[in-house]
Amino acid sequence: MGADGPTISSERAAEIFNRAAGKRAIVLGDMVVDEHIIGSARRLSREAPLPVIEEHERVLVPGAATNVATNLRGLGCRVAVAGLVGADAMAVRLGEQLATRGIETDGLIRDVDRTTAVKLRIWAGGDRQRPQSMIARVDSVDRAPVKRASADAMASFLAAAIPEADALVISDYEAGVVSSSVLQAALPSARAAGLVITADAHGQLARFHHATLLTPNQPEAEAELGREITSVTDALAAAGELREAIEVEAVLVTLGAAGMALDAGDRGRACIPAAVAGRVADPTGAGDTVAATMTTAILGGATPCEAALLSALAARIVVRQLGVAVVSADQIVSEAGDDDT
């Protein structure tokens, strides 16, 4: 970010992540499998004017709320997830992925009447002249109302887990899991226990009254305010409006290539340029990484502005990679060191 905006030293970044290491976070939200088919397009189909993809690789990774969880874990936190999956093969594979990463899955509630959410992305290209590009995405998401028994099971898990936690991160992709009853089971006890509460939600931000942090992107902030955000300066004003209206400690509005706008009241306000260096391969999951990094940094004693700077560096790392990616504290410290030079 250098001369164009505020910076953070690698020494300070390391101090923050060292202090956050071992803190316990619960991630509540929509559990999703991100599936990637990576191949090459060498000819057109005879049935329709579409490319035929020759598959080279198929990859399954945690997505949505589970991507937030893997990023928190990658940054050194202890992590448990709370959400719904089906009683199917994808749920088993997702559970294995999380367990391999050291994430606790006792709060992963299986519902025999539900299918595990899968978001399939198809990539083509890959030779020297044609880098990989996403050519299609297919979402299979069960948006049926959550059954009472499943909601009760999540509430029971949260009641036991929250008193032992340091942070609650709510990742709502609007698949119905983050219902009013589940929030009622989580938010009051999290506030009473003094947890850092981060809400990364696709809509209805007012539900997270008195949270610590909101991390909406520009369209989500616009939808909540009922108006367009026309500039970075306007985004900073919008962050302030949301902070005051919802009565949270800080709001970070992410603006894609335009950067971020942070309003934390008396604790600071800042417009942070996008920390993008090199080619952007894929922005998928960058918002999840921002929410995870902001939460971890706050747990490590960072000011809101420091946390936002670290989040911008984390986003810079993950958008260089294909598909959702997990960032580590060491990578962010190294990235901050590159900015020092």
Side-chain angles (χ1 to χ4, degrees), residues 23-112:
K23 298 288 188 180
R24 181 172 172 79
I26 300 167
V27 180
L28 166 64
D30 296 306
M31 308 286 119
V32 175
V33 175
D34 274 352
E35 183 174 14
H36 299 266
I37 294 176
I38 302 168
S40 57
R42 302 191 183 277
R43 60 188 174 88
L44 291 177
S45 169
R46 294 179 181 178
E47 293 87 358
L50 299 170
V52 175
I53 309 303
E54 294 184 9
E55 180 180 331
H56 302 318
E57 185 179 12
R58 187 179 293 248
V59 180
L60 296 178
V61 293
T66 54
N67 185 40
V68 177
T70 57
N71 274 275
L72 283 161
R73 182 64 183 145
L75 293 169
C77 294
R78 294 181 296 136
V79 185
V81 293
L84 291 183
V85 292
D88 50 29
M90 280 298 187
V92 173
R93 297 186 70 176
L94 179 60
E96 291 172 347
Q97 290 269 352
L98 296 173
T100 297
R101 290 165 168 81
I103 295 170
E104 301 169 29
T105 59
D106 290 349
L108 207 58
I109 309 302
R110 287 169 170 76
D111 184 338
V112 296

Side-chain angles (χ1 to χ4, degrees), residues 114-204:
R114 204 172 186 93
T115 56
T116 302
V118 178
K119 295 185 178 181
L120 169 65
R121 294 171 175 87
I122 302 174
W123 302 82
D127 61 24
R128 292 181 181 178
Q129 286 74 40
R130 297 177 301 167
Q132 292 287 356
S133 298
M134 191 192 310
I135 64 167
R137 172 175 153 174
V138 181
D139 289 0
S140 176
V141 180
D142 190 339
R143 301 186 189 279
V146 176
K147 293 191 307 187
R148 177 64 180 270
S150 297
D152 288 348
M154 275 193 291
S156 178
F157 170 79
L158 291 166
I162 283 174
E164 305 299 322
D166 300 292
L168 172 67
V169 184
I170 303 167
S171 177
D172 183 9
Y173 276 72
E174 298 187 316
V177 171
V178 185
S179 64
S180 57
S181 64
V182 170
L183 286 180
Q184 186 57 38
L187 288 178
S189 57
R191 293 188 197 106
L195 271 61
V196 172
I197 303 171
T198 299
D200 184 27
H202 282 207
Q204 303 180 61

